Amino acid sequence: MRRLLKKFLNLLFSPKEKLFNYLHRHDGGQREVDRGGNNIDVSNELIFPLLIDALNREEGKTCTLRLRGNSMRPFLESNRDIGILISPKNVKVGDPVLAEIEPRHYVLHRIIKIENDNVTLMGDGNYHCEYCKTCDIRASVVGFIRKGRHKVDRTDGMKWKTYSWFWVKMRPMRRWLLAFYRYIWLNIFKLKSYKSLNSKEITEIVKKYVHQKSS
């Protein structure tokens, strides 16, 4: 702890030129996060329609999706965390959802407002909103597998609700908080490398979650 504090103070009081040379913007964490070497890079335009079709064909089916992009930072990281999706049901403000905001343009963001049939979305790592209709919501996210753990952070659990309440309340300061996270926090602590879960491990984690949810 003392070493980290000393490092932070040295960074904080460094000359401006030295400070800017030291800082790096961390987008995606590709240098720090172990991608496992087993992932196939498929565009969203191809994978999302297949995922949505699978959810619609079978009642109660769940699908998993490795997250890409930084729009749900700081809680979720690109190429590290996995979302568990189901067909949309009783969506409400605060829920993370997969929505088609334009033809074949999908986002996995949080609902911040619903007025009649109009839905306003915003990624936790974004400053701007997206808009769609309730019929454009293709899937609900019921949980996330984070940091290679063998457990699910449920979106209806206290941990996610507490984080969500705090982050939504801090929206006016989001730009500064995210800048601190990208340029300061990740330069000091880095993103840890976590062992990638294989498909069998992910299946077992989801089965355990579904069993706990139904019991």
Side-chain angles (χ1 to χ4, degrees):
M1 186 65 185
R2 183 180 299 177
R3 185 179 64 179
L4 290 174
L5 180 60
K6 182 178 179 181
K7 187 175 181 180
F8 175 74
L9 292 175
N10 288 338
L11 174 63
L12 187 63
F13 293 104
S14 297
K16 184 186 295 186
E17 294 79 10
K18 184 178 179 181
L19 178 63
F20 285 131
N21 287 334
Y22 179 83
L23 294 179
H24 303 278
R25 175 170 175 164
H26 291 262
D27 288 326
Q30 294 183 4
R31 289 177 296 173
E32 294 85 9
V33 177
D34 180 14
R35 305 173 92 182
N38 298 317
N39 297 325
I40 301 174
D41 194 10
V42 180
S43 70
N44 291 344
E45 290 186 0
L46 292 177
I47 194 65
F48 283 144
L50 297 175
L51 183 149
I52 294 163
D53 181 63
L55 292 176
N56 291 335
R57 277 191 280 109
E58 185 178 337
E59 181 71 22
K61 184 178 180 62
T62 60
C63 290
T64 58
L65 177 71
R66 188 172 296 276
L67 305 182
R68 295 172 58 186
N70 305 314
S71 63
M72 289 299 284
R73 269 182 164 181
F75 190 67
L76 302 169
E77 281 292 345
S78 179
N79 295 310
R80 183 193 73 182
D81 301 324
I82 299 169
I84 303 174
L85 284 69
I86 62 171
S87 57
K89 185 177 181 181
N90 300 325
V91 295
K92 58 186 182 301
V93 172
D95 288 350
V97 297
L98 176 66
E100 188 174 6
I101 58 175
E102 295 177 2
R104 303 186 74 80
H105 181 191
Y106 302 89
V107 296
L108 196 156
H109 288 166
R110 184 191 301 278
I111 298 175
I112 63 172
K113 185 188 295 185
I114 300 177
E115 293 181 339
N116 299 321
D117 193 38
N118 300 309
V119 180
T120 303
L121 304 160
M122 177 181 279
D124 286 357
N126 289 352
Y127 316 126
H128 60 276
C129 298
E130 294 98 359
Y131 305 93
C132 68
K133 300 292 185 180
T134 52
C135 61
D136 297 322
I137 296 176
R138 306 304 187 202
S140 296
V141 185
V142 295
F144 296 98
I145 303 171
R146 301 176 58 244
K147 300 181 180 180
R149 295 172 181 155
H150 287 250
K151 60 179 293 188
V152 176
D153 286 331
R154 296 167 51 154
T155 55
D156 61 352
M158 185 57 65
K159 181 179 180 180
W160 176 264
K161 288 182 177 180
T162 301
Y163 160 78
S164 301
W165 180 88
F166 172 80
W167 194 246
V168 170
K169 291 293 183 183
M170 299 299 288
R171 182 178 167 188
M173 299 179 61
R174 181 174 295 185
R175 184 179 298 274
W176 305 107
L177 292 172
L178 287 171
F180 175 84
Y181 179 75
R182 287 174 180 151
Y183 291 101
I184 305 296
W185 183 270
L186 290 181
N187 276 290
I188 294 175
F189 296 101
K190 306 297 184 182
L191 285 176
K192 294 182 180 179
S193 180
Y194 298 95
K195 180 183 177 182
S196 295
L197 298 171
N198 58 44
S199 58
K200 183 178 179 180
E201 290 173 320
I202 294 171
T203 300
E204 290 301 317
I205 294 169
V206 174
K207 281 184 178 179
K208 183 177 179 181
Y209 162 78
V210 172
H211 176 74
Q212 291 174 343
K213 185 77 172 176
S214 60
S215 60

